[in-house]
Amino acid sequence: MKYNWATLGCGVIANQLASALQAQGSNLYSVANRTYEKAITFADKYGIEKVYKSIDEVFTDENVDIIYISTPHNTHMEYLRKALTAGKHVLCEKAITLNSDELEEAIELSKKNHVVLAEAMTIYHMPIYNQLEKRIKSGEFGPLQLVQMNFGSYKEYDMSNRFFNPKLAGGAMLDIGVYALSFVRRFMSSVPTDILSQVKYAPTGVDEQAGILLKNKEEEMATIIISLHSKQPKRGTLSFDKAYVEIFEYPRGQEAIITYTEDGHKEIITDGSTDKALEYEIIDMENAVSGENDNMCLAYTKDVMKIMTDIRKEWGMFYPEEI
Ligand SMILES: NC(=O)c1ccc[n+]([C@@H]2O[C@H](COP(=O)([O-])OP(=O)(O)OC[C@H]3O[C@@H](n4cnc5c(N)ncnc54)[C@H](OP(=O)(O)O)[C@@H]3O)[C@@H](O)[C@H]2O)c1
């Protein structure tokens, strides 16, 4: 079945999603945006049939099946409430909400209205990770011991964008920590329960860089180092008894290098393509909506949101909406 997608927001990532929907042969039917003129330009660019004068019209349009939300983090909940209550399926950009309380409310709404709610997290859809997961589960590498994740980008202290602006729920944790934690959660056997962290704040008061140390009941451990003001490789390492696996550009990874403990020999595996990351996400979302197969990993999203919420609570770092 062909679904009618609507995009709420038409910024950087919405452009990528629109291209992916086109490449995938899915139907981007309509666009809603705070600035109407930008929605018109966006619609022209992608040949979109319908442009709403005001955002709220997207929720009452009965032709819309799936709403893709890609506005700043602190605006997600308002739109999730409206979309889910209106009975729309929702794919919402990371971080899906500000905290666990908001996410619980959204999940309840999705259940009540019998619709799919999912976070747009490419890590759950890349073929390389599906392949790795199968091999890990087969036991060929032995038990998982350690996960190490880095993600650092250099952003100027510019308050006109969302990265350091507390009023747009800026900060490293919600922007990039969510990727590292989603990767960790995907590969750890169970949710981490012991959590330690360190934070350095940006001049605006949001978290600029952080170090996180996690352990679960199986005693698998993970370290995460994130920064919005210092470039780092987007590298992940999974260490087992019999091998370690390195993944580069992990939010949209396509290649992994396996180094075997016994003799140091390396095996390179590739699967899928970085360029198609959003297409895999779209396919999984449409399959979840059709009821064919739910691979949207909302349970992991919930675990990750709880970890981020607990860590920020411990730091005493809250957004204006949370005070
Ligand atoms: N999955 C990924 O790989 C990925 C990559 C980048 C970003 N993201 C996520 O996607 C979201 C958007 O990021 P982006 O980089 O695309 O941002 P962006 O380019 O700045 O675009 C932001 C969009 O949100 C709208 N907007 C801004 N403030 C708003 C407000 N107060 N109320 C309603 N709408 C508002 C903007 O509308 P106007 O046209 O009116 O300004 C624009 O359409 C964030 O949640 C981010 O974390 C995900």
Side-chain angles (χ1 to χ4, degrees):
M1 173 165 170
K2 204 144 188 168
Y3 295 106
N4 280 340
W5 287 72
T7 176
L8 198 178
C10 53
V12 174
I13 192 70
N15 273 276
Q16 291 183 27
L17 191 97
S19 301
L21 284 167
Q22 277 185 340
Q24 182 48 38
S26 297
N27 187 33
L28 182 50
Y29 158 75
S30 62
V31 50
N33 194 47
R34 178 180 63 172
T35 310
Y36 177 66
E37 295 70 31
K38 287 194 197 164
I40 294 279
T41 309
F42 191 87
D44 285 346
K45 186 171 170 189
Y46 297 102
I48 298 169
E49 193 179 327
K50 180 119 189 168
V51 183
Y52 306 105
K53 279 255 160 60
S54 84
I55 287 178
D56 280 350
E57 289 171 46
V58 68
F59 308 116
T60 53
D61 185 340
E62 57 188 29
N63 292 322
V64 170
D65 301 306
I66 305 170
I67 299 182
Y68 169 68
I69 299 174
S70 66
T71 52
H73 307 142
N74 62 315
T75 63
H76 291 178
M77 192 58 209
E78 179 195 344
Y79 298 139
L80 283 170
R81 273 191 199 108
K82 290 180 177 176
L84 297 166
T85 304
K88 306 298 183 192
H89 304 283
V90 179
L91 179 64
C92 182
E93 264 307 332
K94 42 60 64 173
I96 186 165
T97 54
L98 291 185
N99 54 49
S100 285
D101 285 350
E102 285 190 354
L103 183 55
E104 286 297 336
E105 186 190 335
I107 290 172
E108 281 310 308
L109 280 174
S110 71
K111 284 184 186 159
K112 197 172 153 195
N113 292 285
H114 310 289
V115 287
V116 174
L117 166 67
E119 180 174 49
M121 177 49 65
T122 47
I123 284 164
Y124 301 144
H125 313 290
M126 298 306 292
I128 188 83
Y129 302 136
N130 296 339
Q131 186 188 141
L132 269 175
E133 201 168 86
K134 272 191 204 130
R135 292 188 60 178
I136 292 165
K137 281 192 176 144
S138 79
E140 66 176 290
F141 306 136
L144 176 68
Q145 304 292 356
L146 294 160
V147 188
Q148 289 180 73
M149 307 302 296
N150 294 74
F151 195 146
S153 55
Y154 186 86
K155 310 283 186 204
E156 299 289 348
Y157 293 135
D158 172 1
M159 292 293 282
S160 64
N161 66 42
R162 63 190 172 78
F163 296 110
F164 290 110
N165 191 338
K167 290 187 182 145
L168 295 176
M173 181 76 92
L174 289 191
D175 198 57
I176 53 179
V178 66
Y179 289 118
L181 283 163
S182 300
F183 185 97
V184 163
R185 183 63 197 95
R186 177 165 187 175
F187 287 103
M188 270 185 146
S189 308
S190 67
V191 65
T193 44
D194 296 355
I195 302 167
L196 294 171
S197 65
Q198 290 287 333
V199 62
K200 175 192 167 189
Y201 293 109
T204 60
V206 300
D207 50 319
E208 173 182 311
Q209 68 182 38
I212 304 167
L213 178 60
L214 305 141
K215 190 170 86 168
N216 64 8
K217 67 176 189 302
E218 290 80 8
E219 300 212 295
E220 298 164 352
M221 289 170 63
T223 63
I224 293 174
I225 299 286
I226 50 172
S227 174
L228 279 182
H229 205 57
S230 184
K231 189 100 184 127
Q232 289 184 83
K234 294 187 193 98
R235 188 179 58 210
T237 309
L238 297 160
S239 303
F240 305 84
D241 282 14
K242 297 180 189 166
Y244 67 86
V245 180
E246 292 168 280
I247 298 122
F248 303 91
E249 301 301 323
Y250 64 83
R252 300 184 186 184
Q254 61 178 11
E255 182 182 288
I257 303 173
I258 305 167
T259 303
Y260 290 89
T261 312
E262 195 172 20
D263 58 3
H265 88 269
K266 291 187 189 296
E267 176 191 352
I268 298 176
I269 57 167
T270 57
D271 204 344
S273 156
T274 298
D275 297 341
K276 292 191 172 169
L278 300 191
E279 291 177 49
Y280 304 130
E281 192 171 87
I282 290 164
I283 293 168
D284 280 345
M285 183 66 189
E286 292 191 345
N287 284 339
V289 168
S290 73
E292 200 172 300
N293 180 19
D294 187 349
N295 189 31
M296 298 311 288
C297 305
L298 187 63
Y300 289 164
T301 297
K302 214 173 131 177
D303 288 347
V304 168
M305 185 54 69
K306 168 110 176 44
I307 294 169
M308 296 198 296
T309 305
D310 288 350
I311 291 175
R312 281 201 302 110
K313 251 186 213 157
E314 201 175 300
W315 293 345
M317 199 209 113
F318 301 103
Y319 293 108
E321 291 81 357
E322 298 175 311
I323 295 166

